[in-house]
Amino acid sequence: MKKIVISNNPSVYQQYNTEVAFLYQESYTFIDVLRVTRDMIHKGHKLLTHPLSGSIKPYETPYKTILVTKETVTLDLDSLHMIEDAITTTEKFIKNIQQRKLNTKTLQDFQMIDLSLIEDSMTR
């Protein structure tokens, strides 16, 4: 199945940018990745991965990678509900949380976690 990767994770981009289509911006925040994904769903793409996969809360990591179908169809309401719920949940989490300053090692660790969460879905 052809897919599009939506990500702000440089490690994911480095690993897969020659294999699949990307919407990648290192400057995206976690919530930006969710909103770009929502916009893609409105255009007819369907979620291939859960927008809040893993046990790391949205305010804990700056990185997020989501896969959607490359093909477009009519609006997939399940995908839309899932991404809207993810945006609402993330907004609740980050509403009263100050942005943390993370050192390079911690950022690399979060990149690797996000990469490992998406690896299985990349091979399907």
Side-chain angles (χ1 to χ4, degrees):
M1 173 180 285
K2 297 191 183 223
K3 53 193 127 231
I4 298 174
V5 178
I6 304 162
S7 183
N8 65 346
N9 184 340
S11 294
V12 172
Y13 183 74
Q14 284 179 332
Q15 181 77 26
Y16 294 108
N17 76 79
T18 60
E19 298 175 29
V20 296
F22 259 88
L23 283 175
Y24 167 77
Q25 287 291 324
E26 195 170 341
S27 62
Y28 283 163
T29 62
F30 191 105
I31 195 81
D32 290 337
V33 172
L34 297 178
R35 289 178 178 146
V36 168
T37 301
R38 179 195 52 207
D39 294 346
M40 297 293 289
I41 291 167
H42 278 286
K43 293 176 183 174
H45 300 273
K46 184 178 177 179
L47 280 174
L48 294 174
T49 58
H50 195 285
L52 294 179
S53 59
S55 60
I56 298 175
K57 293 179 180 50
Y59 64 86
E60 293 176 325
T61 180
Y63 300 107
K64 187 66 203 161
T65 301
I66 301 173
L67 302 181
V68 297
T69 58
K70 191 168 189 175
E71 300 80 25
T72 57
V73 292
T74 58
L75 179 64
D76 181 70
L77 292 178
D78 289 337
S79 292
L80 182 60
H81 291 300
M82 197 176 301
I83 196 68
E84 290 290 354
D85 288 347
I87 290 169
T88 300
T89 299
T90 300
E91 287 173 341
K92 285 181 200 174
F93 272 119
I94 64 175
K95 188 176 187 177
N96 297 316
I97 301 291
Q98 275 191 357
Q99 186 70 18
R100 300 180 301 159
K101 290 273 188 190
L102 301 172
N103 63 42
T104 302
K105 173 69 173 118
T106 303
L107 288 171
Q108 289 171 341
D109 288 345
F110 280 129
Q111 287 177 27
M112 288 297 104
I113 291 168
D114 182 57
L115 176 62
S116 69
L117 287 171
I118 210 71
E119 282 179 326
D120 184 51
S121 298
M122 291 298 290
T123 59
R124 287 190 245 149

